[in-house]
Amino acid sequence: MDFSVDDTTAELAGLVREIGEQLVTDESLRELDARFGPGTESGGTDRETARFHARCWDELVRAGVPAALAPEPLGGAGLGVVADVLVLRELGRVLAPVPLSPAIRASHLLAATGLTDLAAAVAEGREIAAVADGSSPEVDWAPVADLVLRANGDGLHVADRDSVSVERTVPVDFSCAGVVTGDLGEPAPLPEGAAAFDALTRRVHLAAYQWGVIEAALERTAAYATTRHQFGRPIGSFQAVAARLADGMIDVDAVRLSTLRAAYELDACSGHPGSAARDAVASAHFWACDAGHRLAHSAVHIHGGVGLDRSEPAHRYFLAAKAGEFRLGGATRQLLDLGDVLATDGDPWEYSA
């Protein structure tokens, strides 16, 4: 399978990396920690106190990143889920707390129901959207959203933020989320398979962000292991440390390949995901959970006490990787999903390229 990308996608991912590295610095994340982090959990109910990097989000909007990933009728570039993955990976590398994933998903869902004005407002960054995960009452980005969406078998429910109640929650990484209660309104009809496709897209988006998190965590840990000395030698020269870092590289590659495979299958299914897409997403999900868990702990262990020091950046990668694992539902759940597909449909890739 060919995972090469076109020039437009590569340029977009490069632009997002540049924006992230310039704006989402360790210092800016420390400022967000002071706003809503350990010891400040009473805030986070609005854009002024939530863990939301407004400057990075404004720059992404100004650069047209959400618009480029929107549906083509809204002016999007038609780059598909593979482009979503490569962009979200870049945001994960710097732990950027911005609502790009829900913006992409909301613009596609709203456009599919014919609500093109709302879809355009989200794609252009004039409105921030929060998209619920199935029937779960906790919705990422709800405290700062203008719109709250929920896609299910009935259709797409859309509500203004002011018409529902949001109670702030405290995820393990102190990210922006809240429990939404109230009437989300009558559902607008969605095309067949659209809700299922969105649910799978969400999981691939989470895996892509996790890819970036653990990739950057490994790079930072390897760099630390070359500068931290013990017994007159860099700790990275010790066999046990070097082997653990090498295992981490294998884990990063597994997440990279499985996530790109899942994105490819979603792009190839024309909005009607079958067993191949479901299997690919579950596989990516498994690796993001399993590898995320291992690398999160490896990074902390190799850093030693520095890994849990709040004044150092390593602990944020640990929290982000664990939060990604929890949001994805854990590795065991994905193996059960894979088993169900294999038992029902057999191996969907037996004759694939």
Side-chain angles (χ1 to χ4, degrees), residues 24-73:
V24 190
T25 61
D26 290 337
E27 181 58 36
S28 73
L29 292 176
R30 273 192 285 271
E31 293 174 2
L32 291 182
D33 286 344
R35 176 195 297 181
F36 188 83
T40 59
E41 292 88 346
S42 60
T45 56
D46 53 41
R47 295 183 191 180
E48 299 303 317
T49 59
R51 194 177 182 81
F52 168 50
H53 205 300
R55 188 179 174 199
C56 178
W57 178 244
D58 289 344
E59 186 62 21
L60 290 171
V61 169
R62 188 197 65 78
V65 175
L69 298 172
E72 287 187 81

Side-chain angles (χ1 to χ4, degrees), residues 106-133:
S107 66
H108 283 266
L109 287 168
L110 290 165
T113 62
L115 300 172
T116 53
D117 289 343
L118 276 180
V122 171
E124 294 166 6
R126 291 181 281 114
E127 303 274 3
I128 292 178
V131 185
D133 173 24

